[in-house]
Amino acid sequence: MPIPAHSPFPTVAIVGGGPAGLMAAEAISQGNVRVDIYDAMPSMGRKLLMAGKGGLNITHAEAFDVFLTRYGARRAGIEPWLRDFPPDALREWVHGLGIATFVGTSNRVFPADMKAAPLLRAWLHRLRERGVGFHVRHRWHGWDARGDLRFTAPEGERTLHADALVLALGGGSWPQLGSDGTWVALLAQRGIEVAPLRPANCGFDIAWSHFFRERFTGEPVKSIATTFGDLHKQGECVITGHGIEGGPIYALSAALRDEIARHGQAVLHLDLLPDWPLQRVQKEVSHPRGSRSLSSHLQSRLGLKGVKAGLLREALNAEQMHDPALLARTIKSLPLHLMGTRPLSEAISTAGGVAFEALDERLMLARLPGVFCAGEMLDWEAPTGGYLLSACFASGLAAGKGALDWLQHGGQTPA
Ligand SMILES: Cc1cc2nc3c(=O)[nH]c(=O)nc-3n(C[C@H](O)[C@H](O)[C@H](O)COP(=O)(O)OP(=O)(O)OC[C@H]3O[C@@H](n4cnc5c(N)ncnc54)[C@H](O)[C@@H]3O)c2cc1C
C-alpha cells in the first residue's frame, strides 16, 4: 500500500538509483515507511543499462563456496549479505520481475535477452506501485548545519529531512553514467574512513612502438592466455592505443595494479598458443624453413600472423627472432611490461571506498547513526562474471533491511 508523501510514517531517503539503491528501496518499501530515491542523473540505473549493452551478466552459477572466494580479502565482510541473498535467490528475484534467465558459457547467468532495460523497466514499475518516490536530477551535496540533506535540483537548492539515509552512490568508473566519486570528500569531512578509489577490472598502459600502435590499435588478440604469478586466464584481449585490455587482462588486474603500485611496473606474460605444448612449438620453430622468410614460416607452421606476429616483434629484436629456443619460449611466455593502469574513469569497476570497519553489520556508519551505505561505494572489489552486481544487490538488501530494523528500534542502536 503506497504511503503518501505527507505521512506520519518515518521517512527514508536513498541517494543513488543504481542496483544497490533500488534494492534498498525494495527492502524498505516492505515496511511502514515512506521511501524516496534521489539520483543526480536524468534517469535511474544508467550504469546498469550500460552493463546490459555487452550482455547483462547478473550473477554466476558456480558452487557457492567457490563463488564466495571471488571476493578475496573482503569475503568475510560480504559473505553475510550473500548468504541472505545468494545467486539462486537473485535469479528467482529476476524471474519474479517476469524476466527469464539462462546459464551461459563458463556458468555466467544472464537475462534471456541479455539486456538490462526490460529488467530495469519492470523493477521501477513495481517500486512505483509500492509507493517509492523517484526524484531525478537531484545531486546530493551532504548535510546542512541541522543535519538535513542538501541537494541541487532543477528548481534550485533543496534541503530535505529524512529519518534514515541510505547512500548507494557507486564507485568512480564511467563517471558520465553518474557515479563520479564526489561523495568521497563529503564522507571524509564527517570523519568516515574511505580507502582511495582505484581502478578495478581495468586496462593497462604499455609503451608500444609507433609502428605497432599505428598498425594494431583496436585489433583483438584471440585465443591467448595471460599469466601473472600463479594467476592464469584464457580468452581474448584487445590492443589499444595506450596498451591492452579485455577479459583475461581484467581477471588479473587487481594483482597487476597492486604490483605497479609497489614497484612502478608489472610484467604480464602472454601465451600466444595456449593449446600447444612448448616442445611442439620448439619443434615447429626449429623445422628447416629453406628459402622461406621467418614470417611465412611462423604463419605456415604455427598459424602466427598479424597481431600475434607483431607482438613477437615488439618483444624480440631481429637477432633474437632467429634464436629458435628463445623464439619458442617467447611464443609461450611473451613478457608485456605494464607501466600503469588506465584511469579509473575507464575501468569497469572501482576498488576502495567506505571502509568495512566504519560500518556495523547492518551497513550503518558507526559515526553517523541512521546513515547506511551499499554497493560499489564500499571498499571491496571482484572480477567480472556477475560478482559485482551480485554483491551490489545483496548489499542494497542488507542496507535496506538494516535501515528498517534501525527505524523499528526507534532510531536507536540496540545496546
Ligand atoms: C561497461 C560496464 C559493464 C558492466 N557489466 C557488468 C556485468 O555484466 N555484470 C556485473 O556484475 N557488473 C557489471 N558492471 C558493474 C556494475 O554495473 C556496477 O558494479 C553496479 O552498477 C554498481 O551498482 P551501484 O548501485 O553500487 O552503483 P551505480 O550503478 O554506479 O549507481 C550509483 C548511482 O548513484 C548516483 N549518484 C552518485 N553520486 C551522486 C550524488 N552526489 N547525488 C545523487 N546521485 C548520485 C549515480 O547517478 C548512480 O545512478 C559493469 C560496469 C560497466 C561500467
PDB file of all heavy atoms in Angstrom, residues 32-62:
ATOM      1  N   ASN A  32       6.380  -0.040   7.029  1.00  0.00           N
ATOM      2  CA  ASN A  32       5.518   1.144   7.084  1.00  0.00           C
ATOM      3  C   ASN A  32       6.394   2.391   7.126  1.00  0.00           C
ATOM      4  O   ASN A  32       6.530   3.070   8.131  1.00  0.00           O
ATOM      5  CB  ASN A  32       4.615   1.096   8.321  1.00  0.00           C
ATOM      6  CG  ASN A  32       3.512   0.094   8.150  1.00  0.00           C
ATOM      7  OD1 ASN A  32       3.012  -0.098   7.026  1.00  0.00           O
ATOM      8  ND2 ASN A  32       3.149  -0.577   9.220  1.00  0.00           N
ATOM      9  N   VAL A  33       6.982   2.661   5.985  1.00  0.00           N
ATOM     10  CA  VAL A  33       7.988   3.717   5.891  1.00  0.00           C
ATOM     11  C   VAL A  33       7.795   4.422   4.551  1.00  0.00           C
ATOM     12  O   VAL A  33       7.444   3.790   3.560  1.00  0.00           O
ATOM     13  CB  VAL A  33       9.410   3.080   5.939  1.00  0.00           C
ATOM     14  CG1 VAL A  33      10.485   4.110   5.691  1.00  0.00           C
ATOM     15  CG2 VAL A  33       9.648   2.392   7.284  1.00  0.00           C
ATOM     16  N   ARG A  34       7.990   5.713   4.520  1.00  0.00           N
ATOM     17  CA  ARG A  34       7.953   6.450   3.250  1.00  0.00           C
ATOM     18  C   ARG A  34       9.372   6.430   2.650  1.00  0.00           C
ATOM     19  O   ARG A  34      10.336   6.816   3.311  1.00  0.00           O
ATOM     20  CB  ARG A  34       7.493   7.878   3.535  1.00  0.00           C
ATOM     21  CG  ARG A  34       7.739   8.884   2.448  1.00  0.00           C
ATOM     22  CD  ARG A  34       6.669   8.874   1.374  1.00  0.00           C
ATOM     23  NE  ARG A  34       7.222   9.394   0.132  1.00  0.00           N
ATOM     24  CZ  ARG A  34       6.603   9.316  -1.045  1.00  0.00           C
ATOM     25  NH1 ARG A  34       5.430   8.743  -1.146  1.00  0.00           N
ATOM     26  NH2 ARG A  34       7.156   9.807  -2.121  1.00  0.00           N
ATOM     27  N   VAL A  35       9.520   5.937   1.414  1.00  0.00           N
ATOM     28  CA  VAL A  35      10.850   5.831   0.789  1.00  0.00           C
ATOM     29  C   VAL A  35      10.927   6.736  -0.433  1.00  0.00           C
ATOM     30  O   VAL A  35      10.054   6.672  -1.308  1.00  0.00           O
ATOM     31  CB  VAL A  35      11.146   4.397   0.261  1.00  0.00           C
ATOM     32  CG1 VAL A  35      12.644   4.245  -0.015  1.00  0.00           C
ATOM     33  CG2 VAL A  35      10.644   3.340   1.181  1.00  0.00           C
ATOM     34  N   ASP A  36      11.986   7.527  -0.537  1.00  0.00           N
ATOM     35  CA  ASP A  36      12.242   8.347  -1.728  1.00  0.00           C
ATOM     36  C   ASP A  36      13.667   8.113  -2.206  1.00  0.00           C
ATOM     37  O   ASP A  36      14.594   8.089  -1.396  1.00  0.00           O
ATOM     38  CB  ASP A  36      12.042   9.835  -1.401  1.00  0.00           C
ATOM     39  CG  ASP A  36      10.581  10.166  -1.197  1.00  0.00           C
ATOM     40  OD1 ASP A  36       9.877  10.379  -2.196  1.00  0.00           O
ATOM     41  OD2 ASP A  36      10.143  10.152  -0.024  1.00  0.00           O
ATOM     42  N   ILE A  37      13.810   7.944  -3.531  1.00  0.00           N
ATOM     43  CA  ILE A  37      15.151   7.769  -4.116  1.00  0.00           C
ATOM     44  C   ILE A  37      15.510   9.032  -4.886  1.00  0.00           C
ATOM     45  O   ILE A  37      14.701   9.534  -5.686  1.00  0.00           O
ATOM     46  CB  ILE A  37      15.207   6.590  -5.108  1.00  0.00           C
ATOM     47  CG1 ILE A  37      14.683   5.320  -4.465  1.00  0.00           C
ATOM     48  CG2 ILE A  37      16.625   6.372  -5.607  1.00  0.00           C
ATOM     49  CD1 ILE A  37      14.923   4.077  -5.309  1.00  0.00           C
ATOM     50  N   TYR A  38      16.730   9.492  -4.671  1.00  0.00           N
ATOM     51  CA  TYR A  38      17.242  10.690  -5.349  1.00  0.00           C
ATOM     52  C   TYR A  38      18.447  10.287  -6.181  1.00  0.00           C
ATOM     53  O   TYR A  38      19.313   9.549  -5.719  1.00  0.00           O
ATOM     54  CB  TYR A  38      17.665  11.739  -4.316  1.00  0.00           C
ATOM     55  CG  TYR A  38      16.519  12.148  -3.413  1.00  0.00           C
ATOM     56  CD1 TYR A  38      16.236  11.415  -2.255  1.00  0.00           C
ATOM     57  CD2 TYR A  38      15.697  13.232  -3.739  1.00  0.00           C
ATOM     58  CE1 TYR A  38      15.163  11.754  -1.438  1.00  0.00           C
ATOM     59  CE2 TYR A  38      14.620  13.571  -2.926  1.00  0.00           C
ATOM     60  CZ  TYR A  38      14.363  12.835  -1.788  1.00  0.00           C
ATOM     61  OH  TYR A  38      13.291  13.170  -0.987  1.00  0.00           O
ATOM     62  N   ASP A  39      18.502  10.779  -7.411  1.00  0.00           N
ATOM     63  CA  ASP A  39      19.677  10.492  -8.246  1.00  0.00           C
ATOM     64  C   ASP A  39      20.037  11.751  -9.034  1.00  0.00           C
ATOM     65  O   ASP A  39      19.156  12.501  -9.474  1.00  0.00           O
ATOM     66  CB  ASP A  39      19.405   9.324  -9.212  1.00  0.00           C
ATOM     67  CG  ASP A  39      20.710   8.730  -9.734  1.00  0.00           C
ATOM     68  OD1 ASP A  39      21.401   9.399 -10.546  1.00  0.00           O
ATOM     69  OD2 ASP A  39      21.062   7.609  -9.316  1.00  0.00           O
ATOM     70  N   ALA A  40      21.338  11.954  -9.218  1.00  0.00           N
ATOM     71  CA  ALA A  40      21.816  13.157  -9.916  1.00  0.00           C
ATOM     72  C   ALA A  40      21.475  13.137 -11.403  1.00  0.00           C
ATOM     73  O   ALA A  40      21.369  14.192 -12.031  1.00  0.00           O
ATOM     74  CB  ALA A  40      23.332  13.256  -9.747  1.00  0.00           C
ATOM     75  N   MET A  41      21.297  11.946 -11.961  1.00  0.00           N
ATOM     76  CA  MET A  41      21.126  11.827 -13.411  1.00  0.00           C
ATOM     77  C   MET A  41      19.660  12.031 -13.817  1.00  0.00           C
ATOM     78  O   MET A  41      18.770  11.990 -12.983  1.00  0.00           O
ATOM     79  CB  MET A  41      21.609  10.441 -13.865  1.00  0.00           C
ATOM     80  CG  MET A  41      23.074  10.192 -13.578  1.00  0.00           C
ATOM     81  SD  MET A  41      24.159  11.362 -14.409  1.00  0.00           S
ATOM     82  CE  MET A  41      24.142  10.707 -16.067  1.00  0.00           C
ATOM     83  N   PRO A  42      19.405  12.213 -15.111  1.00  0.00           N
ATOM     84  CA  PRO A  42      18.018  12.394 -15.559  1.00  0.00           C
ATOM     85  C   PRO A  42      17.180  11.118 -15.494  1.00  0.00           C
ATOM     86  O   PRO A  42      15.970  11.164 -15.707  1.00  0.00           O
ATOM     87  CB  PRO A  42      18.162  12.855 -17.013  1.00  0.00           C
ATOM     88  CG  PRO A  42      19.587  13.254 -17.184  1.00  0.00           C
ATOM     89  CD  PRO A  42      20.368  12.458 -16.200  1.00  0.00           C
ATOM     90  N   SER A  43      17.804   9.960 -15.235  1.00  0.00           N
ATOM     91  CA  SER A  43      17.033   8.720 -15.064  1.00  0.00           C
ATOM     92  C   SER A  43      17.826   7.780 -14.166  1.00  0.00           C
ATOM     93  O   SER A  43      19.026   7.977 -13.953  1.00  0.00           O
ATOM     94  CB  SER A  43      16.757   8.056 -16.420  1.00  0.00           C
ATOM     95  OG  SER A  43      17.980   7.756 -17.056  1.00  0.00           O
ATOM     96  N   MET A  44      17.135   6.761 -13.660  1.00  0.00           N
ATOM     97  CA  MET A  44      17.760   5.816 -12.717  1.00  0.00           C
ATOM     98  C   MET A  44      18.534   4.732 -13.483  1.00  0.00           C
ATOM     99  O   MET A  44      18.227   4.423 -14.634  1.00  0.00           O
ATOM    100  CB  MET A  44      16.670   5.125 -11.869  1.00  0.00           C
ATOM    101  CG  MET A  44      15.785   6.076 -11.098  1.00  0.00           C
ATOM    102  SD  MET A  44      16.582   6.647  -9.593  1.00  0.00           S
ATOM    103  CE  MET A  44      15.624   8.130  -9.238  1.00  0.00           C
ATOM    104  N   GLY A  45      19.497   4.133 -12.799  1.00  0.00           N
ATOM    105  CA  GLY A  45      20.120   2.891 -13.276  1.00  0.00           C
ATOM    106  C   GLY A  45      20.905   2.994 -14.570  1.00  0.00           C
ATOM    107  O   GLY A  45      20.923   2.053 -15.368  1.00  0.00           O
ATOM    108  N   ARG A  46      21.578   4.112 -14.790  1.00  0.00           N
ATOM    109  CA  ARG A  46      22.274   4.273 -16.077  1.00  0.00           C
ATOM    110  C   ARG A  46      23.436   3.291 -16.242  1.00  0.00           C
ATOM    111  O   ARG A  46      23.696   2.819 -17.338  1.00  0.00           O
ATOM    112  CB  ARG A  46      22.770   5.700 -16.215  1.00  0.00           C
ATOM    113  CG  ARG A  46      21.601   6.652 -16.323  1.00  0.00           C
ATOM    114  CD  ARG A  46      21.933   7.836 -17.160  1.00  0.00           C
ATOM    115  NE  ARG A  46      20.688   8.438 -17.622  1.00  0.00           N
ATOM    116  CZ  ARG A  46      20.620   9.423 -18.484  1.00  0.00           C
ATOM    117  NH1 ARG A  46      21.718   9.915 -19.006  1.00  0.00           N
ATOM    118  NH2 ARG A  46      19.459   9.917 -18.844  1.00  0.00           N
ATOM    119  N   LYS A  47      24.156   3.009 -15.155  1.00  0.00           N
ATOM    120  CA  LYS A  47      25.273   2.067 -15.299  1.00  0.00           C
ATOM    121  C   LYS A  47      24.754   0.643 -15.505  1.00  0.00           C
ATOM    122  O   LYS A  47      25.324  -0.124 -16.277  1.00  0.00           O
ATOM    123  CB  LYS A  47      26.213   2.131 -14.085  1.00  0.00           C
ATOM    124  CG  LYS A  47      27.514   1.405 -14.351  1.00  0.00           C
ATOM    125  CD  LYS A  47      28.511   1.555 -13.229  1.00  0.00           C
ATOM    126  CE  LYS A  47      29.316   2.821 -13.375  1.00  0.00           C
ATOM    127  NZ  LYS A  47      30.372   2.938 -12.358  1.00  0.00           N
ATOM    128  N   LEU A  48      23.650   0.323 -14.852  1.00  0.00           N
ATOM    129  CA  LEU A  48      23.035  -0.994 -15.060  1.00  0.00           C
ATOM    130  C   LEU A  48      22.656  -1.152 -16.539  1.00  0.00           C
ATOM    131  O   LEU A  48      22.887  -2.207 -17.141  1.00  0.00           O
ATOM    132  CB  LEU A  48      21.798  -1.129 -14.160  1.00  0.00           C
ATOM    133  CG  LEU A  48      21.060  -2.462 -14.200  1.00  0.00           C
ATOM    134  CD1 LEU A  48      21.926  -3.591 -13.652  1.00  0.00           C
ATOM    135  CD2 LEU A  48      19.750  -2.385 -13.401  1.00  0.00           C
ATOM    136  N   LEU A  49      22.098  -0.099 -17.108  1.00  0.00           N
ATOM    137  CA  LEU A  49      21.723  -0.155 -18.529  1.00  0.00           C
ATOM    138  C   LEU A  49      22.957  -0.345 -19.405  1.00  0.00           C
ATOM    139  O   LEU A  49      22.945  -1.124 -20.358  1.00  0.00           O
ATOM    140  CB  LEU A  49      20.999   1.132 -18.948  1.00  0.00           C
ATOM    141  CG  LEU A  49      19.564   1.264 -18.443  1.00  0.00           C
ATOM    142  CD1 LEU A  49      19.004   2.630 -18.835  1.00  0.00           C
ATOM    143  CD2 LEU A  49      18.681   0.150 -18.988  1.00  0.00           C
ATOM    144  N   MET A  50      24.038   0.359 -19.063  1.00  0.00           N
ATOM    145  CA  MET A  50      25.274   0.221 -19.842  1.00  0.00           C
ATOM    146  C   MET A  50      25.824  -1.200 -19.703  1.00  0.00           C
ATOM    147  O   MET A  50      26.298  -1.787 -20.683  1.00  0.00           O
ATOM    148  CB  MET A  50      26.305   1.246 -19.345  1.00  0.00           C
ATOM    149  CG  MET A  50      27.659   1.146 -19.999  1.00  0.00           C
ATOM    150  SD  MET A  50      27.598   1.228 -21.802  1.00  0.00           S
ATOM    151  CE  MET A  50      27.291   2.970 -22.045  1.00  0.00           C
ATOM    152  N   ALA A  51      25.730  -1.750 -18.489  1.00  0.00           N
ATOM    153  CA  ALA A  51      26.205  -3.126 -18.278  1.00  0.00           C
ATOM    154  C   ALA A  51      25.434  -4.082 -19.190  1.00  0.00           C
ATOM    155  O   ALA A  51      25.979  -5.083 -19.651  1.00  0.00           O
ATOM    156  CB  ALA A  51      26.052  -3.516 -16.812  1.00  0.00           C
ATOM    157  N   GLY A  52      24.179  -3.754 -19.459  1.00  0.00           N
ATOM    158  CA  GLY A  52      23.361  -4.617 -20.325  1.00  0.00           C
ATOM    159  C   GLY A  52      23.755  -4.544 -21.788  1.00  0.00           C
ATOM    160  O   GLY A  52      23.396  -5.427 -22.578  1.00  0.00           O
ATOM    161  N   LYS A  53      24.509  -3.522 -22.160  1.00  0.00           N
ATOM    162  CA  LYS A  53      24.875  -3.370 -23.587  1.00  0.00           C
ATOM    163  C   LYS A  53      25.724  -4.548 -24.069  1.00  0.00           C
ATOM    164  O   LYS A  53      25.556  -5.040 -25.174  1.00  0.00           O
ATOM    165  CB  LYS A  53      25.650  -2.069 -23.805  1.00  0.00           C
ATOM    166  CG  LYS A  53      24.805  -0.829 -23.634  1.00  0.00           C
ATOM    167  CD  LYS A  53      24.522  -0.171 -24.985  1.00  0.00           C
ATOM    168  CE  LYS A  53      23.273   0.692 -24.925  1.00  0.00           C
ATOM    169  NZ  LYS A  53      23.508   2.029 -24.468  1.00  0.00           N
ATOM    170  N   GLY A  54      26.653  -5.003 -23.203  1.00  0.00           N
ATOM    171  CA  GLY A  54      27.516  -6.120 -23.615  1.00  0.00           C
ATOM    172  C   GLY A  54      26.975  -7.461 -23.146  1.00  0.00           C
ATOM    173  O   GLY A  54      27.695  -8.449 -23.179  1.00  0.00           O
ATOM    174  N   GLY A  55      25.718  -7.501 -22.663  1.00  0.00           N
ATOM    175  CA  GLY A  55      25.154  -8.735 -22.107  1.00  0.00           C
ATOM    176  C   GLY A  55      25.210  -8.645 -20.597  1.00  0.00           C
ATOM    177  O   GLY A  55      26.297  -8.695 -20.019  1.00  0.00           O
ATOM    178  N   LEU A  56      24.035  -8.504 -19.962  1.00  0.00           N
ATOM    179  CA  LEU A  56      23.990  -8.270 -18.508  1.00  0.00           C
ATOM    180  C   LEU A  56      24.286  -9.562 -17.750  1.00  0.00           C
ATOM    181  O   LEU A  56      23.432 -10.434 -17.622  1.00  0.00           O
ATOM    182  CB  LEU A  56      22.617  -7.730 -18.102  1.00  0.00           C
ATOM    183  CG  LEU A  56      22.531  -7.288 -16.641  1.00  0.00           C
ATOM    184  CD1 LEU A  56      23.337  -6.022 -16.411  1.00  0.00           C
ATOM    185  CD2 LEU A  56      21.076  -7.052 -16.233  1.00  0.00           C
ATOM    186  N   ASN A  57      25.503  -9.660 -17.257  1.00  0.00           N
ATOM    187  CA  ASN A  57      25.923 -10.855 -16.504  1.00  0.00           C
ATOM    188  C   ASN A  57      25.537 -10.624 -15.050  1.00  0.00           C
ATOM    189  O   ASN A  57      26.257  -9.989 -14.301  1.00  0.00           O
ATOM    190  CB  ASN A  57      27.434 -11.027 -16.680  1.00  0.00           C
ATOM    191  CG  ASN A  57      27.973 -12.261 -16.009  1.00  0.00           C
ATOM    192  OD1 ASN A  57      29.169 -12.402 -15.864  1.00  0.00           O
ATOM    193  ND2 ASN A  57      27.104 -13.162 -15.575  1.00  0.00           N
ATOM    194  N   ILE A  58      24.380 -11.179 -14.689  1.00  0.00           N
ATOM    195  CA  ILE A  58      23.749 -10.767 -13.441  1.00  0.00           C
ATOM    196  C   ILE A  58      24.340 -11.494 -12.225  1.00  0.00           C
ATOM    197  O   ILE A  58      24.443 -10.950 -11.144  1.00  0.00           O
ATOM    198  CB  ILE A  58      22.229 -10.956 -13.566  1.00  0.00           C
ATOM    199  CG1 ILE A  58      21.490 -10.018 -12.643  1.00  0.00           C
ATOM    200  CG2 ILE A  58      21.756 -12.367 -13.368  1.00  0.00           C
ATOM    201  CD1 ILE A  58      20.373  -9.344 -13.338  1.00  0.00           C
ATOM    202  N   THR A  59      24.725 -12.750 -12.415  1.00  0.00           N
ATOM    203  CA  THR A  59      25.366 -13.499 -11.332  1.00  0.00           C
ATOM    204  C   THR A  59      26.071 -14.704 -11.939  1.00  0.00           C
ATOM    205  O   THR A  59      26.234 -14.775 -13.160  1.00  0.00           O
ATOM    206  CB  THR A  59      24.358 -13.900 -10.227  1.00  0.00           C
ATOM    207  OG1 THR A  59      25.065 -14.451  -9.121  1.00  0.00           O
ATOM    208  CG2 THR A  59      23.325 -14.900 -10.711  1.00  0.00           C
ATOM    209  N   HIS A  60      26.475 -15.638 -11.088  1.00  0.00           N
ATOM    210  CA  HIS A  60      27.275 -16.778 -11.558  1.00  0.00           C
ATOM    211  C   HIS A  60      26.729 -18.046 -10.915  1.00  0.00           C
ATOM    212  O   HIS A  60      26.359 -18.022  -9.742  1.00  0.00           O
ATOM    213  CB  HIS A  60      28.738 -16.551 -11.160  1.00  0.00           C
ATOM    214  CG  HIS A  60      29.703 -17.275 -12.014  1.00  0.00           C
ATOM    215  ND1 HIS A  60      29.895 -18.628 -11.911  1.00  0.00           N
ATOM    216  CD2 HIS A  60      30.517 -16.852 -13.004  1.00  0.00           C
ATOM    217  CE1 HIS A  60      30.798 -18.998 -12.800  1.00  0.00           C
ATOM    218  NE2 HIS A  60      31.204 -17.933 -13.482  1.00  0.00           N
ATOM    219  N   ALA A  61      26.712 -19.135 -11.683  1.00  0.00           N
ATOM    220  CA  ALA A  61      26.070 -20.362 -11.197  1.00  0.00           C
ATOM    221  C   ALA A  61      27.055 -21.378 -10.626  1.00  0.00           C
ATOM    222  O   ALA A  61      26.682 -22.523 -10.395  1.00  0.00           O
ATOM    223  CB  ALA A  61      25.256 -20.992 -12.325  1.00  0.00           C
ATOM    224  N   GLU A  62      28.305 -20.987 -10.389  1.00  0.00           N
ATOM    225  CA  GLU A  62      29.265 -21.939  -9.811  1.00  0.00           C
ATOM    226  C   GLU A  62      28.880 -22.246  -8.357  1.00  0.00           C
ATOM    227  O   GLU A  62      28.030 -21.579  -7.774  1.00  0.00           O
ATOM    228  CB  GLU A  62      30.684 -21.361  -9.865  1.00  0.00           C
ATOM    229  CG  GLU A  62      30.890 -20.175  -8.952  1.00  0.00           C
ATOM    230  CD  GLU A  62      32.144 -19.374  -9.279  1.00  0.00           C
ATOM    231  OE1 GLU A  62      32.956 -19.808 -10.094  1.00  0.00           O
ATOM    232  OE2 GLU A  62      32.280 -18.281  -8.719  1.00  0.00           O
TER     233      GLU A  62
END
